[in-house]
């Protein structure tokens, strides 16, 4: 009888350990795929396949600075931004960001927006 109770206790302990290990596993992480430059352009562009001031004003991230952004991106000064101009502006911004020269926030690389160093 003692062997039976010992075996039962061992089985219960093993089952509890198995459950605790099963719960400790992290759920699988979803891969976040960043959109390509072309996908971003298509999302921002109007029906004519170009970005104009109205398209920039529709976007909540660019509506306040639409005229400034259009002036910066529209290198041939025709009032619209084609895919080539958008790609050039995107690559310039990416290069500035890698060098730590981006102007989006007041922080520098390795610092919080409030000026506090990350730990």
């Amino acid at each position: 009888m003692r062997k039976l109770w010992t075996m039962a206790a061992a089985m219960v302990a093993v089952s509890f350990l198995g459950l605790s290990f099963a719960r400790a596993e992290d759920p699988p992480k979803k891969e976040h795929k960043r959109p390509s430059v072309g996908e971003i352009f298509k999302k921002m562009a109007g029906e004519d396949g170009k970005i104009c001031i109205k398209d920039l004003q529709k976007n909540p991230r660019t509506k306040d600075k639409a005229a400034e952004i259009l002036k910066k991106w529209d290198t041939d000064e025709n009032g619209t931004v084609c895919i080539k101009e958008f790609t050039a502006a995107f690559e310039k911004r990416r290069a500035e960001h890698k060098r730590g020269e981006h102007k989006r926030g007041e922080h520098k690389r390795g610092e919080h927006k409030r000026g506090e160093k990350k730990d």
Side-chain angles (χ1 to χ4, degrees), residues 20-85:
S20 66
F21 282 122
R23 290 182 189 154
E25 291 180 14
D26 291 332
K29 293 182 180 180
K30 294 181 181 178
E31 290 187 34
H32 177 71
K33 181 187 171 217
R34 290 188 177 201
S36 68
V37 178
E39 291 170 338
I40 296 170
F41 181 81
K42 285 179 185 176
K43 202 172 194 178
M44 291 182 73
E47 294 175 6
D48 60 351
K50 296 181 179 183
I51 298 173
C52 65
I53 190 119
K54 289 180 183 178
D55 299 324
L56 292 171
Q57 289 170 339
K58 289 179 191 175
N59 187 327
R61 295 182 76 181
T62 58
K63 69 180 180 181
D64 295 335
K65 298 182 179 183
E68 180 184 334
I69 292 170
L70 185 67
K71 185 178 179 181
K72 193 183 295 185
W73 291 356
D74 185 20
T75 55
D76 63 0
E77 299 176 359
N78 65 350
T80 60
V81 178
C82 67
I83 185 73
K84 289 181 182 179
E85 293 170 319

Side-chain angles (χ1 to χ4, degrees), residues 6-25:
T6 306
M7 285 178 48
M11 290 177 75
V12 170
V14 168
S15 65
F16 279 121
L17 285 173
L19 288 175
S20 66
F21 282 122
R23 290 182 189 154
E25 291 180 14

